[in-house]
């Protein structure tokens, strides 16, 4: 039986920490084959104390699951993942953010099943789980299949999208293996695979990044360049992603996303080929957002396929916010090249 190391960066994560742990405790995967490594960026809301209590209990409070508490002086999730991945011991590493909630008790067992095949190096759920009691922004992103509407135009999303009816538009080879799809990509492009329940063989993961940051979508890209025959599994299950409790949080995280992207791209810190997306697709996103009608049509398509009219009302608004923040970020980034300010960082 494989062993699993769950790697979770945290920073003031009490909003979701307890429900995150409860979902792991309900897994039918043997608990003595699971460890959780939390990398804390200096939490002040009780997150650190809660994790330390679990660690000191030595598995008594976590049904036999070992817990590690690690320090992440660079604060960011990418830095926390780098810290933790280098210190875990499991055969498989599962990158699970503190706002990821496992939807059922079989989730981890299903994610491990594809690793019975030697050619499978990674697995991840094929969709986001929609729940009626989640905030409207969370429900919208779950149905859209992504947390950034620009990816809908880029086509490089990696979860089932109610607007397009597919889990990605990136060309790929697909084999149905029952509970999962076995996927192969060419070396030219791949979806933004690597976060929110992404699992990977530890040896392959450790060998696919260097430095102080682990950019999840860069790791698989690096591996595919070295071993194009590599296959990944899209497991026929979902995962809850409590990414945005409200529109204000969405705007704040979009601002952080574009500033960090420009900073690390300028410093050669990123590997994923965002330039391959093509300026034509970016221009199409801008045009559709400005003219409004196309994004309203997309929202209507999503509503007729999945329902939840209130959540789909957010689609035009999120497109406009993204357009404004990304445009301003690119323009201001010409003159100021620095990471987003994290002095008052929130989850």
């Amino acid at each position: 039986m494989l062993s699993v190391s769950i790697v979770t960066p945290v920073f003031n994560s009490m909003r979701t920490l307890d429900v995150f742990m409860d979902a792991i405790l309900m897994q039918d995967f043997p608990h003595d084959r699971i460890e959780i490594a939390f990398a804390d960026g200096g939490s002040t809301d009780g997150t650190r104390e809660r994790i330390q209590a679990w660690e000191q209990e030595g598995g008594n409070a976590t049904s036999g699951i070992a817990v590690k508490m690690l320090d992440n002086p660079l604060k960011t999730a990418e830095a926390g993942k780098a810290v933790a991945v280098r210190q875990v011991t499991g055969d498989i590493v599962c990158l699970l953010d503190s706002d990821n909630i496992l939807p059922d008790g079989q989730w981890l067992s299903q994610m491990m099943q594809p690793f019975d095949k030697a050619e499978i190096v990674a697995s991840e759920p094929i969709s986001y789980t929609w729940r009626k009691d989640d905030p409207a922004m969370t429900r919208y992103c779950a149905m859209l299949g992504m947390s950034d509407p620009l990816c809908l135009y880029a086509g490089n999303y990696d979860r089932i999208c109610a607007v397009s009816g597919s889990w990605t538009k990136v060309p790929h080879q697909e084999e149905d293996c029952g509970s999962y799809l076995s996927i192969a990509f060419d070396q030219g492009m791949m979806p933004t695979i690597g976060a929110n329940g992404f699992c990977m063989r530890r040896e392959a993961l450790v060998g696919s990044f260097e430095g102080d940051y682990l950019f999840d979508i860069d790791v698989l890209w690096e591996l595919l360049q070295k071993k194009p025959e590599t296959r990944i599994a899209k497991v026929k299950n979902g995962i809850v992603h409590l990414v945005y409790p409200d529109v204000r949080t969405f705007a704040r995280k979009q601002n952080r996303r574009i500033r960090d992207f420009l900073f690390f791209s300028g410093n050669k810190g990123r590997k994923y080929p965002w330039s391959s997306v093509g300026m034509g697709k970016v221009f199409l996103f801008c045009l559709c957002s400005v003219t409004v009608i196309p994004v309203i049509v997309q929202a209507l398509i999503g509503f007729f396929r999945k329902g939840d009219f209130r959540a789909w009302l957010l689609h035009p608004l999120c497109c406009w916010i993204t357009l404004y923040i990304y445009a301003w970020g690119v323009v201001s980034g010409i003159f100021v090249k620095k990471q987003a300010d994290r002095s008052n960082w929130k989850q």
Side-chain angles (χ1 to χ4, degrees):
M1 166 112 19
L2 294 171
S3 57
V4 182
S5 295
I6 296 174
V7 165
T8 303
V10 290
F11 186 85
N12 291 338
S13 302
M14 282 303 298
R15 176 176 69 91
T16 60
L17 187 61
D18 286 337
V19 67
F20 165 89
M21 180 60 84
D22 287 344
I24 295 176
L25 295 179
M26 65 181 276
Q27 295 302 300
D28 63 3
F29 194 84
H31 286 190
D32 62 353
R33 306 296 290 172
I34 303 173
E35 69 171 346
I36 309 176
F38 292 99
D40 179 59
S43 297
T44 57
D45 68 339
T47 295
R48 189 177 185 86
E49 291 74 15
R50 183 65 55 84
I51 296 171
Q52 286 175 330
W54 290 334
E55 181 182 33
Q56 291 166 5
E57 284 287 330
N60 294 326
T62 54
S63 300
I65 296 175
V67 172
K68 291 181 179 180
M69 177 70 184
L70 305 172
D71 291 323
N72 172 23
L74 296 179
K75 287 192 175 185
T76 72
E78 295 80 13
K81 291 172 185 177
V83 167
V85 164
R86 290 190 171 108
Q87 297 195 43
V88 296
T89 59
D91 301 306
I92 307 298
V93 173
C94 177
L95 300 180
L96 201 65
D97 290 340
S98 61
D99 58 5
N100 291 148
I101 311 302
L102 307 187
D104 56 63
Q106 297 75 47
W107 189 90
L108 195 53
S109 295
Q110 290 179 326
M111 296 300 295
M112 294 303 105
Q113 183 182 350
F115 293 106
D116 290 343
K117 294 188 176 181
E119 69 272 18
I120 299 285
V121 73
S123 68
E124 73 168 15
I126 200 169
S127 64
Y128 288 117
T129 301
W130 178 93
R131 304 187 304 182
K132 66 178 181 179
D133 294 328
D134 285 334
M137 272 299 308
T138 298
R139 303 197 311 270
Y140 159 67
C141 290
M143 293 183 291
L144 189 66
M146 61 203 83
S147 56
D148 187 341
L150 175 58
C151 291
L152 178 60
Y153 293 83
N156 61 346
Y157 50 91
D158 66 321
R159 309 291 163 106
I160 292 175
C161 173
V163 175
S164 67
S166 64
W167 67 269
T168 191
K169 289 297 182 182
V170 174
H172 62 278
Q173 302 170 29
E174 184 176 299
E175 177 187 353
D176 194 328
C177 298
S179 62
Y180 64 92
L181 304 176
S182 178
I183 308 296
F185 299 101
D186 62 32
Q187 290 181 285
M189 191 56 180
M190 58 165 271
T192 53
I193 293 175
N196 303 308
F198 175 76
C199 301
M200 190 172 183
R201 298 186 190 275
R202 181 170 57 87
E203 291 184 0
L205 179 57
V206 172
S208 297
F209 81 98
E210 56 186 18
D212 294 330
Y213 298 91
L214 190 164
F215 295 101
D216 38 39
I217 65 172
D218 291 358
V219 167
L220 190 58
W221 170 257
E222 285 281 271
L223 182 61
L224 285 173
Q225 304 317 295
K226 301 173 184 175
K227 299 181 179 180
E229 71 279 5
T230 296
R231 299 185 75 89
I232 68 110
K234 293 293 291 185
V235 178
K236 297 177 183 178
N237 201 339
I239 191 167
V240 178
H241 190 196
L242 302 175
V243 57
Y244 306 127
D246 49 45
V247 174
R248 182 178 181 181
T249 305
F250 170 79
R252 186 180 73 244
K253 288 193 175 184
Q254 290 295 78
N255 179 64
R256 194 167 73 207
R257 180 178 284 123
I258 186 63
R259 290 186 181 277
D260 281 355
F261 170 75
L262 293 172
F263 175 83
F264 285 108
S265 295
N267 285 276
K268 309 298 182 183
R270 300 304 306 270
K271 304 297 183 181
Y272 184 84
W274 284 102
S275 59
S276 298
V277 168
M279 289 306 298
K281 294 178 180 178
V282 175
F283 176 77
L284 180 61
F285 166 74
C286 298
L287 181 64
C288 290
S289 298
V290 169
T291 55
V292 181
I293 299 300
V295 296
I296 292 177
V297 171
Q298 290 171 347
L300 290 173
I301 292 172
F303 167 70
F304 285 120
R305 285 180 172 170
K306 298 291 290 187
D308 200 344
F309 182 71
R310 182 184 174 191
W312 283 109
L313 283 176
L314 293 167
H315 183 59
L317 177 61
C318 289
C319 288
W320 299 333
I321 291 173
T322 299
L323 174 61
Y324 171 78
I325 290 177
Y326 281 12
W328 176 250
V330 170
V331 172
S332 61
I334 297 174
F335 305 99
V336 180
K337 297 185 181 296
K338 65 179 181 178
Q339 290 178 263
D341 180 18
R342 285 180 165 77
S343 58
N344 294 305
W345 195 27
K346 301 177 183 178
Q347 190 183 36

